[in-house]
Amino acid sequence: MAKRVEQLESVVIRFAGDSGDGMQLTGGRFTSETALVGNDLATFPDFPAEIRAPAGSLPGVSGFQLHFADHDILTPGDRPDVLVVMNPAALKTNLADLPKGGTLIVDTDAFTERNLKKAGYDASPLEDGSLAGYQVHAVQLTSMTVGALKEIEGVTAREAERAKNMFALGLMSWLYGRPVDSTLEFLEKKFAKRPEIAAANIKAFNTGYAFGETSESFAVQYEVKAASLQPGLYRQITGNTALSWGLLAASKLSKLPLFLGAYPITPASSILEELAKHKAFGVRTFQAEDEIAAAGAALGASFGGSLGVTTSAGPGVVLKSETVGLAVTLELPLVIIDVQRAGPSTGMPTKPEQGDLLMVLFGRNSESPVPVLAASSPGDCFYAAIEAVRVALTYRTPVYLLSDAYLANGAEPWLVPDIAALAPIDVDFAQPNGEVFQPYARDPATLARPWAIPGTPGLEHRVGGLEKANITGSISYDPENHDLMTQLRAQKVAGVQVPALEVDHQEGADVLVLSWGGTYGPVHAGVRQVRAAGGKAAHAHLRWLNPFPSNLGDVLRSYERVLIPEMNLGQLLQLVRARYLVDAVGYNRVTGKPFKAGEIADAVEALQ
Amino acid sequence: MTLTAKDFKSDQEVRWCPGCGDYAILAAVQSFMPELGLEREKIVFISGIGCAARFPYYMQTYGMHSIHGRAPAIATGLATSRPDLSVWVVTGDGDSLSIGGNHLIHALRRNVNIKILLLNNQIYGLTKGQYSPTSEQGKVTGSTPMGSVDYPFNPLSLALGADATFVARALDTDKPGLTEVLRRAAAHKGAAFVEIFQNCNIYNDGAFDFVRDEKENRLYLKHGEPAGDTGVTHDETDFAAAFELSRVTIETHGVVPLGVFRDVQRESYDDLLAAQLANAKGDGDLQALVASGDTWQIG
Ligand code: SF4
């Protein structure tokens, strides 16, 4: 008998289980199915840095949150509506986020005495009444999976048990009416080498789906209609993939071969891995012996006329700073990507933070200006990468592009770009013109110096870290020349053309919320909440942190109060207060988790 | 146009201390350059920091004076992305055996097509005379008034340990010997490591007199022939022989081996990477890539 179907505008689901339970895969597949429905969506994978923390332990819990809706949304959601937990540890670490009345789906088979003890429970929460305030669906997920897979030959008991995440996915797919074909195809492909495992996973998935249809525990099926997004072809994308593809696009637009120097580091490694797949695009990826060599090789390639890029996270970027300083004085293009994570030192490798802003702006010896921009969403990483390259090549300067662990792994629907419509990046290598070559003569418009690459006859020249005489580039210790060169380097970076700051103004608002980087989604969602509740607030989001857009001062001064939310202790805040003498206030939290829209709304309301 | 040594002299005034061994090495390199048979624009000299690192400024080629110890890394990026160039690294004992040790061994291990000239003077010259990783134990310097306590590196043993495919040694003032080694290094496809004994007449004068002045102590290695009284028959393709000869010193045998210790062929990093690019599947269609995977149409 068909069950009742209820319409919902949006749902937030969180899958949580042990690191070995395949929660990231489960969440990823549910996301793909959801994307095919045409919902707007945002995801937040949250996993431990340890590859396999002890099974069943609290630190070993891995989660994946997904928010999908029939309208445009900005964040993975503050709190889940539905929490799927695969063991007691997952319940313990996630229950506090589930609002009372929320739906809880539990694999009861995992609530053994041993697992309860590992999670620090004295008595089973399934039996002691502590879950009374929630809609609990106790499902014997593991045993039903193992039971269903008995007949499949060649599958061990352990392998059968491991398919329980597909049972859960099947059940959730039924509950929200998701299309299943893409998952079945995916499983067949993923386990092509072991058809019996593919069969087991498919069986588990179908059993979970059928369980939803027939079980009395689930009386209602839900539907979330497609969102009305801008027309076009969509796919979902994570920040690191978008960033990698943005670099490929920039290479194509500039007609320069891409050279990536990198050293493995969380959460940036997947950029190296993604680009390593694309040698057909003429990409050279170089896994260096260390972060220093990764940056150095990229700069060496840039000297030779390649598009030199180096990627890392904060602990690696500190090591690159001497190379960035050299690139500043050589005035050669170099793109340095910092996928920020919580620090200091090793900190929390898989967790996002915005703590590296002042480091990339100022973390070099002496006067060493570098343009800095930050991506605002997973999909925006594509465009931010192109922009970083455009400035690096146009102005012959290192450029820092900031992303973070949240953008890197988070996914959102992405309107597939029309590559042919992207503006080309013009690069003119210096050519001999019969005159003596002057390596430090400048283009009057950009103050960029000529880029003369080896192989060009007659332009043989030497560059180096020692101060250079203006125009000729010869070594110079002349006091006035050093002052002039320092000024010129600063002027060049200050003169980088960046778009004016756009303000999402609301009539009558006297509070401006100024954000930057990966917090765009939750901050804008928070501003929307304020407005929905009848409050007034304006929002502006900075892409360029150096130089600032030229209208920033005017924008700041046109509001009575300015709130700067940051996942650090107030780094942009300090810059804005110092530069514009504006009495801005901060909202600063460093929990290793993205902001919640609700806390931003509260912070704005506190200022009203 | 046939190039001569003069064509490789830049307009920069050479600023090493008068009498420094670097002058002789610069002159030998400049005289050798025409033999490469390359136009000047195809040649690049890259250095780190130190007295030796001023070298690129004096060469009328492309050049970069970079960061302390990092020249092999920078050269790796250049050589890998521009296989058409002849890339030379000029470094010192502090530059490449102390602060840049990691880059040196990895460039050698990868067999990047670069030629590394290590000007070994067993001292930090530019910072005014502190002991270096090749200074003998007990060296009294500004930073070691009671004598240094650490043991020195043997650069050749280190390079061999890193599996360098070409390892050689020469003397600053021995122009024919040095030129022959440069010739062999240039002809070698892959990483070439050349240690050049260089006298720092200001801070470590006479460090190599036992072989610079006392010519009878020079043991020129010849492939296939017995190496003096060492008991080793020299074989450039035999790792064990090369390593054994790298341990022969004035202290152990009263002689100093000079010339090519090892020369073996192994595909270079840049060639292998270029082959991967050439053989990569796909046509580099970016529009197809961005539209790949699960997609859906709206509107
Ligand atoms: S300090 Fe020594 S190595 Fe340096 S230039 Fe002077 S003599 Fe040469």
Side-chain angles (χ1 to χ4, degrees), chain B residues 103-176:
Chain B
H103 310 305
L104 176 74
I105 57 175
H106 286 276
L108 295 176
R109 167 180 75 83
R110 288 190 187 98
N111 201 29
V112 182
N113 191 22
I114 55 179
K115 315 300 158 206
I116 300 172
L117 309 182
L118 190 160
L119 280 47
N120 182 7
N121 55 17
Q122 302 184 342
I123 200 80
Y124 281 84
L126 196 61
T127 49
K128 301 193 195 297
Q130 299 80 14
Y131 80 110
S132 92
T134 54
S135 300
E136 68 281 8
Q137 198 192 25
K139 184 113 189 144
V140 175
T141 72
S143 61
T144 50
M146 295 169 71
S148 60
V149 295
D150 37 339
Y151 305 102
F153 263 140
N154 175 324
L156 297 187
S157 297
L158 184 80
L160 288 165
D163 242 336
T165 52
F166 181 95
V167 175
R169 180 192 281 144
L171 277 179
D172 51 5
T173 47
D174 172 19
K175 194 168 178 186

Side-chain angles (χ1 to χ4, degrees), chain A residues 254-272:
Chain A
S254 62
K255 301 197 179 76
L256 297 186
L258 177 59
F259 183 98
L260 174 74
Y263 185 79
I265 186 169
T266 303
S269 307
S270 56
I271 302 172
L272 167 63

Side-chain angles (χ1 to χ4, degrees), chain B residues 146-290:
Chain B
M146 295 169 71
S148 60
V149 295
D150 37 339
Y151 305 102
F153 263 140
N154 175 324
L156 297 187
S157 297
L158 184 80
L160 288 165
D163 242 336
T165 52
F166 181 95
V167 175
R169 180 192 281 144
L171 277 179
D172 51 5
T173 47
D174 172 19
K175 194 168 178 186
L178 175 54
T179 305
E180 180 53 23
V181 162
L182 292 174
R183 192 173 289 133
R184 294 282 308 274
H188 177 79
K189 177 84 177 115
F193 177 84
V194 180
E195 178 190 28
I196 305 173
F197 285 164
Q198 175 244 324
N199 192 42
C200 168
N201 55 310
I202 302 295
Y203 295 110
N204 201 17
D205 195 21
F208 303 107
D209 282 357
F210 57 86
V211 58
R212 277 174 116 223
D213 295 354
E214 295 167 46
K215 297 198 172 129
E216 63 281 10
N217 292 337
R218 299 179 186 180
L219 171 60
Y220 286 102
L221 297 174
K222 291 204 180 66
H223 180 60
E225 291 182 17
D229 301 330
T230 61
V232 181
T233 299
H234 184 42
D235 180 349
E236 291 170 359
T237 64
D238 178 2
F239 178 85
F243 194 81
E244 210 175 331
L245 287 172
S246 79
R247 310 306 291 175
V248 170
T249 65
I250 195 79
E251 289 82 16
T252 62
H253 290 75
V255 290
V256 179
L258 296 169
V260 177
F261 287 64
R262 184 172 206 231
D263 186 0
V264 293
Q265 281 308 309
R266 187 195 289 164
E267 276 189 278
S268 70
Y269 181 85
D270 35 306
D271 277 353
L272 290 167
L273 187 61
Q276 286 198 346
L277 260 70
N279 296 329
K281 289 205 183 69
D283 50 6
D285 181 345
L286 188 56
Q287 190 63 53
L289 177 67
V290 294

